[in-house]
Amino acid sequence: MKKILLMTVMFVLLVSCSSTKNSMEVAIGESKSKLIKTWGSPVRTLADNENGEILVYADQVFTNMEHSDGSKIAGQNYWNYNYVYINKDGKVTSTRKEKQNYPPQAIDSQKIHGMNLLTAK
């Protein structure tokens, strides 16, 4: 009985302490400072063409490759991006998720600007 109670308490603590960063949910209208407190610092910050900015969060994901002997190694990788658009008043206006093969250092803000992807919609 004590084990069941202990396991239940541990499960509740684990669920209650889970970070909102894992869910990557953002409330429109949330302040930039609250977002950074919740998610941490972005990997990149880009200027948009409306005096705002775009906070770029990225997670690298590796696919598993299995050898004929059953062992696994890290295979190909890709990046899950979450772009958070911040207006000039410091509030979240929108977000965009994207899966890409290039690392955050390769994001070219001039190229994205030319494609009209930097404007918060």
Side-chain angles (χ1 to χ4, degrees):
M1 182 66 170
K2 287 182 181 181
K3 283 186 178 183
I4 293 173
L5 181 61
L6 179 63
M7 293 297 282
T8 304
V9 169
M10 289 179 63
F11 178 74
V12 169
L13 284 174
L14 178 67
V15 171
S16 67
C17 293
S18 65
S19 170
T20 56
K21 183 176 180 181
N22 292 337
S23 66
M24 298 306 262
E25 298 288 327
V26 178
I28 303 301
E30 186 175 288
S31 70
K32 175 184 171 185
S33 61
K34 183 177 178 186
L35 175 78
I36 291 175
K37 284 180 185 176
T38 304
W39 285 18
S41 298
V43 295
R44 294 275 313 262
T45 301
L46 305 171
D48 73 4
N49 57 357
E50 295 183 1
N51 296 324
E53 59 189 340
I54 302 167
L55 306 181
V56 180
Y57 291 89
D59 289 315
Q60 190 173 19
V61 179
F62 289 93
T63 58
N64 289 327
M65 293 179 55
E66 192 166 325
H67 287 291
S68 58
D69 65 357
S71 63
K72 293 182 179 181
I73 62 167
Q76 294 179 328
N77 68 328
Y78 61 90
W79 292 84
N80 282 328
Y81 286 101
N82 198 346
Y83 299 93
V84 181
Y85 296 84
I86 308 291
N87 66 13
K88 61 185 176 184
D89 298 324
K91 302 290 183 182
V92 174
T93 58
S94 64
T95 64
R96 181 171 57 93
K97 294 182 182 183
E98 180 177 276
K99 178 180 167 181
Q100 290 293 341
N101 291 325
Y102 53 81
Q105 299 87 342
I107 295 174
D108 183 358
S109 62
Q110 295 302 321
K111 181 178 176 185
I112 293 173
H113 178 71
M115 295 167 49
N116 296 321
L117 295 176
L118 292 182
T119 304
K121 298 177 183 172

